[in-house]
Amino acid sequence: MQVFLARNPDEVGSADSTPIEPFDLNHFFGEDGKIYGYTNLKINVWISAISFHAYAEISFQETSDGGKGITDLKPVLQNIFGENLVEKDEFLEAFSKECQCISDVVTNGNSIKRDASGEDDLSAEIVRVELQGAAAYLYSRLVSLVLLLVEGSTPIDITEHGWEMLLIVKKAELESSASKFQLLGFAAVHHFYYYPESTRLRISQILVLPPYQGEGHGRLLLEAINSIAESENMYDVTIEDPSDYLQYVRSSIDCLRLLTFEPIKPALGAMVLSLEQTNLSKRTRSSIMVPPSDLAETVRQKLKINKKQFLRCWEILIYLHLDAENLKCIDNFRACIYDRTKGELLGGASGTNGKRLVQVPTSFDEDTSFAVFWTKEGGDEDNQTVQQQPEDLATQEEQLNELVDNQMEEIAEVAKNVASRGKDKLAA
């Protein structure tokens, strides 16, 4: 199955169509992700970049029931594209009939002003709209692209109060174009009530269309959302299940913001100095690089970066300020990442943090039935967690080190990006 994005009728069925690489189509096709009963089957799907209708062209040599039946393709395609899936004539007509689909939303939205940098596309504009009326109709057309391109995505409930959408668009390059605007990408965000009288801004979905990826449009959407949160004094900004790449972009943006945030500099300098002057290779207790609690609150209040995200950026900023050639310093940093990860997974330096695992009488499978309870530190140590064998501990240590190595690579990757984009800020 191949999927293409067509910007005009002439691209439909031609080599000029932009191919889309779906994240994973298998889960749409039954439990085993397979299609049965066809010889030389080809499925080509075109999605209009104007109306976001879809048209599927299916061809095959023959069908035969080989014992597992013949897969009915129509309900599978409708499960992906819904009512957007139309016949070819209607699909082609929609390029002209529904050419105002994007324009109707843009003209009714509010343009967000931004400070453009040298790397930005100056022709791109970000428009903010409530997710209702024409905007809700446009979103319903975009759902199929979200399902195809975003791992584990599901449509949002646009009938729920508090949804809005940010569109990044630019005017059509050709005067002959049926649509005044090209849609480059969008983000769906939700306003959550936060007790007693505040609002959290949660990013539920963010997508840049394949032809425009790698041009910084996703970064512009995230920066616009941060700007909204600050200007409207929201509690903080969160992201629902971000992909690895989205988290990479988000952390890069937030680290760049934090580099020029004066309140962070004394504590950051002190932590870097501590790692340079100590030796954690023979530590007798866990060492973690936690910032002062009041600093995390200041960052949340001023920059709207939530605590979990700030702690992630804090480690990246520390690494960024370390001398990469000072092996003792880097080893100290890794030791802190190791202790923090071990604490998160196993409950701290003790390995249990008061958590107990006990077998319980049950009418179910005894091997999979147990209870976990927690006691305050210093409680009765009898009947402690089920003892692990040496080979289990060795495997656990190996897996833990592998996880730490992966985190070190992720931190280094973001730090490298921040260093290349924020040389002037680091110099300051």
Side-chain angles (χ1 to χ4, degrees), residues 272 275-276 278 322-323 326-334:
V272 171
L275 290 175
E276 291 174 343
T278 58
L322 296 177
D323 181 0
N326 186 334
L327 297 183
K328 185 191 78 170
C329 195
I330 298 299
D331 286 343
N332 285 341
F333 179 85
R334 189 189 185 282

Side-chain angles (χ1 to χ4, degrees), residues 243-296:
S243 66
D244 291 343
Y245 183 70
L246 178 56
Q247 183 58 54
Y248 165 79
V249 175
R250 175 197 190 192
S251 295
S252 297
I253 293 171
D254 287 340
C255 284
L256 284 167
R257 297 165 69 201
L258 287 164
L259 278 178
T260 56
F261 189 62
E262 289 297 328
I264 199 178
K265 293 183 178 180
L268 182 62
M271 181 59 68
V272 171
L273 185 62
S274 174
L275 290 175
E276 291 174 343
Q277 295 179 345
T278 58
N279 185 355
L280 299 179
S281 62
K282 297 181 180 180
R283 63 194 183 283
T284 57
R285 61 179 182 176
S286 62
S287 299
I288 52 178
M289 302 175 288
V290 179
S293 57
D294 60 332
L295 183 58

Side-chain angles (χ1 to χ4, degrees), residues 133-374:
Y137 182 68
L138 175 60
Y139 173 78
S140 69
R141 295 283 182 82
L142 294 169
V143 166
S144 56
L145 282 171
V146 175
L147 295 177
L148 288 170
L149 298 172
V150 181
E151 179 185 6
S153 61
T154 56
I156 62 176
D157 182 7
I158 58 177
T159 62
E160 186 179 354
H161 177 72
W163 284 103
E164 64 177 349
M165 186 161 64
L166 275 69
L167 306 176
I168 182 162
V169 300
K170 67 178 180 180
K171 292 184 178 180
E173 296 175 354
L174 300 176
E175 294 184 4
S176 58
S177 177
S179 176
K180 293 181 181 179
F181 293 95
Q182 291 176 296
L183 179 64
L184 311 180
F186 76 96
V189 298
H190 192 257
H191 297 249
F192 278 90
Y193 168 73
Y194 187 81
Y195 180 84
E197 51 184 17
S198 189
T199 302
R200 308 185 85 164
L201 197 58
R202 177 180 294 177
I203 305 171
S204 178
Q205 294 172 348
I206 184 166
L207 175 66
V208 175
L209 302 190
Y212 313 109
Q213 291 176 0
E215 299 176 5
H217 302 307
R219 173 178 56 81
L220 292 178
L221 284 169
L222 287 174
E223 289 175 347
I225 292 169
N226 289 333
S227 176
I228 290 171
E230 289 185 38
S231 63
E232 299 184 8
N233 195 27
M234 295 184 178
Y235 186 80
D236 62 14
V237 177
T238 62
I239 301 184
E240 184 178 338
D241 299 326
S243 66
D244 291 343
Y245 183 70
L246 178 56
Q247 183 58 54
Y248 165 79
V249 175
R250 175 197 190 192
S251 295
S252 297
I253 293 171
D254 287 340
C255 284
L256 284 167
R257 297 165 69 201
L258 287 164
L259 278 178
T260 56
F261 189 62
E262 289 297 328
I264 199 178
K265 293 183 178 180
L268 182 62
M271 181 59 68
V272 171
L273 185 62
S274 174
L275 290 175
E276 291 174 343
Q277 295 179 345
T278 58
N279 185 355
L280 299 179
S281 62
K282 297 181 180 180
R283 63 194 183 283
T284 57
R285 61 179 182 176
S286 62
S287 299
I288 52 178
M289 302 175 288
V290 179
S293 57
D294 60 332
L295 183 58
E297 179 61 14
T298 300
V299 169
R300 183 202 63 77
Q301 290 178 353
K302 300 296 184 181
L303 301 181
K304 308 307 176 185
I305 299 174
N306 68 71
K307 182 178 180 180
K308 182 178 180 180
Q309 173 65 3
F310 172 55
L311 295 178
R312 183 182 290 111
C313 293
W314 174 255
E315 292 179 346
I316 296 169
L317 290 172
I318 292 172
Y319 181 87
L320 188 62
H321 286 81
L322 296 177
D323 181 0
E325 296 183 0
N326 186 334
L327 297 183
K328 185 191 78 170
C329 195
I330 298 299
D331 286 343
N332 285 341
F333 179 85
R334 189 189 185 282
C336 291
I337 298 297
Y338 177 93
D339 288 347
R340 190 258 300 158
T341 305
K342 183 177 181 179
E344 291 173 350
L345 295 178
L346 305 178
S350 67
T352 62
N353 198 28
K355 296 184 180 71
R356 311 281 183 84
L357 174 67
V358 295
Q359 304 298 327
V360 294
T362 176
S363 58
F364 298 97
D365 184 355
E366 292 186 1
D367 292 334
T368 59
S369 300
F370 58 87
V372 174
F373 67 95
W374 176 84

Side-chain angles (χ1 to χ4, degrees), residues 1-8 11-14 16-22 25 28-29 35 41-49 52-59 73-88 91-92 95 141 144-145 148-149 210:
M1 179 171 168
Q2 291 185 294
V3 185
F4 303 91
L5 194 66
R7 286 166 286 193
N8 57 64
E11 290 186 355
V12 180
S14 76
D16 294 329
S17 298
T18 303
I20 293 176
E21 297 294 335
L25 289 171
F28 290 110
F29 293 91
I35 301 173
L41 173 65
K42 291 183 179 180
I43 306 174
N44 289 328
V45 179
W46 283 273
I47 299 176
S48 167
F52 297 98
H53 280 98
Y55 158 64
E57 185 177 80
I58 302 173
S59 64
L73 297 173
K74 186 175 181 180
V76 175
L77 294 174
Q78 286 181 331
N79 186 35
I80 303 173
F81 300 102
E83 296 180 357
N84 297 347
L85 188 65
V86 297
E87 297 299 326
K88 186 174 184 179
F91 177 75
L92 295 175
F95 279 96
R141 295 283 182 82
S144 56
L145 282 171
L148 288 170
L149 298 172

